[in-house]
Amino acid sequence: MTSTFWFTPVFILIWSTGFIIARYGMPYSEPMTFLAIRFGAVVLCMAPIVLWLKAPWPRGRQIWHIAVAGALFQFGYLGGVWAAVKLGMPAGLAALIIGLQPIVTGLLASFVSERVSPRQWLGLALGLTGVALVLFTNIRLEGLSFTSTLLAFGGMFAITAGTLYQKRYCPSFDLRTGSVIQFSISTLLCVIMMLSFETMEIQWTPQMIGAMLWGVLAISIGAMSLWFILLRRGDATKVSSMMYLVPPTTAVMAWILFDEPMTPTVLVGIFITMLGVLIINQAAWPRWLKRRA
């Protein structure tokens, strides 16, 4: 069985907590201020490790390719989504818009010389249907604006573009030095936006500190490293389809942590989403699962 099969559930579990820490941290900081500190902290954590271990640095254009992919992944995706929610977009609707990412990735798969089979398109459709059912009760239009909608779609296209760009131009690089490059450029962009549009006020409550530490260590360093490994070893469409599992996982976490309702519609949505992702990634199943499929 492939090691990436076991990387995937760990990535999904950690990545899904991003919506949870947003709930804990959002009341105490503006989005670009939070992300600037978070990304900067990642650089401060990784830079000494890179220097101590003398990790290899990329050369020439590879540095710029890694920087562009990082700016799209971190600043473009997270900045867009967090800013949209802060401006009033309901989190459920933002998550559904981000849920379009696997579909858009499939449509643009030819950019990285990949072909999406009819079976995979069926899986992509099922996955999006399942995500919509999971988020159905939380989708509202109150507080929706043109700006927040533009930011949410911008975040979705940013992570799609970042996935395809990295897959094509810089699929393999040292994760340690690559993280320093990607989070440095993202920190700079967030600082520019923070100085231009935000008050930079932040309340260091226990919830805020916990959200920041988890965002730095578990998500930005841990989950992003797993994402890069998965993207390096798998097709962009297959890897992106894993994002379908984030809203169902987050729904289960919210049920446990915040006592949010776990309705029959949510349960059906979770089942359909998992079925869709399994159909897309059938070739990556371990042998003991393939024999039963």
Side-chain angles (χ1 to χ4, degrees):
M1 61 186 67
T2 61
S3 58
T4 54
F5 179 86
W6 302 110
F7 286 165
T8 300
V10 176
F11 165 75
I12 294 299
L13 284 173
I14 300 176
W15 192 258
S16 298
T17 61
F19 291 93
I20 302 299
I21 70 163
R23 184 162 177 171
Y24 279 118
M26 190 76 74
Y28 307 107
S29 173
E30 293 164 295
M32 291 301 161
T33 301
F34 184 96
L35 292 175
I37 297 173
R38 172 176 161 182
F39 296 160
V42 174
V43 177
L44 291 177
C45 288
M46 295 302 299
I49 296 175
V50 168
L51 294 174
W52 178 264
L53 298 177
K54 298 180 180 180
W57 287 89
R59 297 180 180 180
R61 292 184 178 180
Q62 191 77 348
I63 296 176
W64 297 106
H65 289 320
I66 293 172
V68 170
L72 290 168
F73 272 125
Q74 311 300 338
F75 171 74
Y77 165 56
L78 290 176
V81 174
W82 278 54
V85 174
K86 190 69 174 182
L87 287 176
M89 172 171 281
L93 183 56
L96 183 59
I97 291 173
I98 297 301
L100 296 172
Q101 188 248 340
I103 294 283
V104 178
T105 301
L107 290 172
L108 300 176
S110 60
F111 180 75
V112 289
S113 302
E114 294 178 7
R115 177 181 174 275
V116 182
S117 68
R119 173 177 57 82
Q120 289 177 316
W121 279 119
L122 172 62
L124 288 169
L126 285 173
L128 183 60
T129 301
V131 169
L133 288 173
V134 169
L135 299 172
F136 178 75
T137 56
N138 292 321
I139 294 177
R140 304 183 309 277
L141 298 181
E142 295 87 351
L144 192 63
S145 66
F146 174 78
T147 302
S148 63
T149 303
L150 188 64
L151 286 167
F153 274 99
M156 185 271 293
F157 282 113
I159 190 173
T160 302
T163 298
L164 295 171
Y165 189 94
Q166 181 163 312
K167 184 67 177 177
R168 178 165 181 172
Y169 293 109
C170 49
S172 298
F173 56 85
D174 188 281
L175 294 178
R176 297 161 297 182
T177 52
S179 294
V180 172
I181 294 169
Q182 293 197 334
F183 283 101
S184 292
I185 185 64
S186 298
T187 301
L188 175 61
L189 293 172
C190 284
V191 167
I192 292 173
M193 298 300 291
M194 176 185 73
L195 294 174
S196 301
F197 300 105
E198 296 184 349
T199 65
M200 295 174 285
E201 295 180 0
I202 188 169
Q203 302 176 45
W204 290 105
T205 63
Q207 295 90 335
M208 178 65 191
I209 294 172
M212 182 65 71
L213 289 174
W214 185 261
V216 170
L217 300 174
I219 300 179
S220 291
I221 295 178
M224 283 307 303
S225 295
L226 289 174
W227 171 262
F228 292 154
I229 293 172
L230 289 168
L231 189 59
R232 180 184 301 171
R233 299 185 182 182
D235 294 341
T237 302
K238 290 182 178 180
V239 175
S240 295
S241 72
M242 299 301 172
M243 289 297 185
Y244 277 151
L245 298 175
V246 172
T249 306
T250 303
V252 174
M253 291 179 178
W255 172 59
I256 296 172
L257 295 174
F258 308 120
D259 198 28
E260 292 190 0
M262 182 61 65
T263 64
T265 301
V266 172
L267 292 174
V268 172
I270 290 174
F271 173 79
I272 293 176
T273 302
M274 293 177 65
L275 177 62
V277 173
L278 286 173
I279 289 173
I280 297 168
N281 293 274
Q282 185 177 7
W285 296 0
R287 293 177 181 176
W288 63 273
L289 275 178
K290 286 182 180 179
R291 286 196 295 266
R292 297 183 182 185

